[in-house]
Amino acid sequence: MPRLKSSALLIAALLAMCPAAASAELLKTRLAQNLSPISGITIIAKAKGFFEKAGLDVTVSNFTSGKQALDTVIGGGADIATTAEAPVTAAAMAGQPIAFVAGMEYSDVKTLARAGAGIKSAADLKGKKIAFTAGTGSEVYTTELLKTAGLTTRDVTLVNLKPQEMLPALAAGSIDGFNTWEPHISNARKALGADVQVLDTKGVYSETFNIVVMQDYLKAHPQIIEKFLAAMLESEAWMKANPDEAVSVIAQAAGMKPEDLKALWNDYVFHVAIGAKQVRALKTHAQWRLDTKNHPPGVTGVPDFAVLIFPDPLRKLDPTRVDYKLD
């Protein structure tokens, strides 16, 4: 814990020295946020006043997906997005001048199956009808999961559904299982009880959640991004020191019962950083887009993430938070 404490002290000192935080003049910025536990760090930063402490007046617009959040930023409706790697690689391959400035969370994508479907392992998926969400980490996970059993997408019947559509489909028996992220897995387990089971697929694919802005905005407002990340670092430290209260605050914001979120709290890894986890997710997802031709015409390779990842604002706050290689 020494590193966490020293990091928290560093951020607190930086915030204390922040001119804007000492005055009534707060810098305004707009956050497009996927309102779910994966945005826990920004949810807490807003609820506990860490943005204001850093000198920011953050207006939050909530969305049901990271894609919507990033699309809003690209369209000029917001300045900062919380989003997964899937929208990031889609924007990168479309030539959008985005700036990846930090990761903030990652968690495993999972498989839930009907108990009577005979699915005990990835190999048992052969011949089954499995739901996924096209263009997201759910689809990449599905491909990677099948690979672990020597299968391909031709060995299963895939059904493209939104995460919130999967539980009704499974309950109706129109699918045998589904691949998605929390809290949709836990919600279905609670609703269907012994009629479903989770496959042991830990480590197959972790979806990341990140902070992305436009490059022009970063260039014009570097101070805002630095303050935003400083608030996130303080939020992370507070969450780790106050997990029960963090669960309560995030559950209320996300429309969940605290006990439901607490049951899966350890599935979420909240950590503000740019490291191997984020880079691996970006590269894996980009390669999947190439392999499946799920990209704009003319794209011939994985994007050059060296021109899309901007580590300096986070490195300035805490150099230990930036540790990655692109080769």
Side-chain angles (χ1 to χ4, degrees), residues 124-197:
D124 297 327
L125 294 172
K126 186 173 183 178
K128 300 299 193 295
K129 187 178 289 186
I130 306 298
F132 73 112
T133 304
T136 71
S138 167
E139 186 167 4
V140 181
Y141 164 81
T142 299
T143 303
E144 295 299 311
L145 178 61
L146 292 173
K147 284 181 182 177
T148 66
L151 303 175
T152 72
T153 54
R154 293 186 296 274
D155 294 309
V156 298
T157 299
L158 293 177
V159 181
N160 181 19
L161 296 176
K162 296 177 181 178
Q164 59 268 32
E165 297 171 336
M166 294 177 176
L167 168 55
L170 192 64
S174 58
I175 58 174
D176 297 308
F178 61 75
N179 299 333
T180 193
W181 49 84
E182 294 289 8
H184 303 289
I185 295 287
S186 294
N187 290 343
R189 291 181 69 187
K190 183 178 180 180
L192 301 178
D195 292 334
V196 295
Q197 58 188 14

Side-chain angles (χ1 to χ4, degrees), residues 166-291:
M166 294 177 176
L167 168 55
L170 192 64
S174 58
I175 58 174
D176 297 308
F178 61 75
N179 299 333
T180 193
W181 49 84
E182 294 289 8
H184 303 289
I185 295 287
S186 294
N187 290 343
R189 291 181 69 187
K190 183 178 180 180
L192 301 178
D195 292 334
V196 295
Q197 58 188 14
V198 179
L199 267 64
D200 181 8
T201 61
K202 187 173 180 60
V204 171
Y205 184 83
S206 293
E207 184 174 62
T208 65
F209 224 62
N210 314 288
I211 299 297
V212 177
V213 301
M214 302 306 290
Q215 292 181 21
D216 284 349
Y217 185 81
L218 176 59
K219 184 177 180 180
H221 304 286
Q223 192 177 28
I224 288 178
I225 300 306
E226 185 176 329
K227 293 175 186 295
F228 192 93
L229 295 178
M232 288 178 60
L233 287 168
E234 186 165 17
S235 177
E236 178 200 316
W238 183 90
M239 289 170 67
K240 291 176 178 178
N242 304 275
D244 291 340
E245 188 176 352
V247 167
S248 179
V249 172
I250 295 169
Q252 182 177 10
M256 299 176 63
K257 293 181 179 179
E259 58 267 29
D260 292 343
L261 179 55
K262 187 172 184 178
L264 55 95
W265 184 248
N266 290 334
D267 288 349
Y268 300 104
V269 180
F270 295 103
H271 186 61
V272 180
I274 306 177
K277 180 72 70 173
Q278 288 77 32
V279 171
R280 187 181 307 116
L282 288 170
K283 286 186 173 182
T284 300
H285 206 282
Q287 187 60 53
W288 166 83
R289 289 191 180 280
L290 287 176
D291 294 343

Side-chain angles (χ1 to χ4, degrees), residues 83-121:
T83 190
E85 66 276 358
V88 173
T89 61
M93 287 181 160
Q96 296 289 349
I98 58 172
F100 183 108
V101 296
M104 65 174 180
E105 183 274 344
Y106 66 86
S107 51
D108 284 341
V109 182
K110 301 176 182 177
T111 296
L112 191 71
R114 286 192 298 109
I119 302 173
K120 304 294 184 181
S121 67

Side-chain angles (χ1 to χ4, degrees), residues 35-55:
L35 186 56
S36 71
I38 51 182
S39 292
I41 285 180
T42 53
I43 290 172
I44 291 294
K46 179 66 174 178
K48 303 303 292 184
F50 296 135
F51 287 136
E52 288 80 2
K53 184 178 178 181

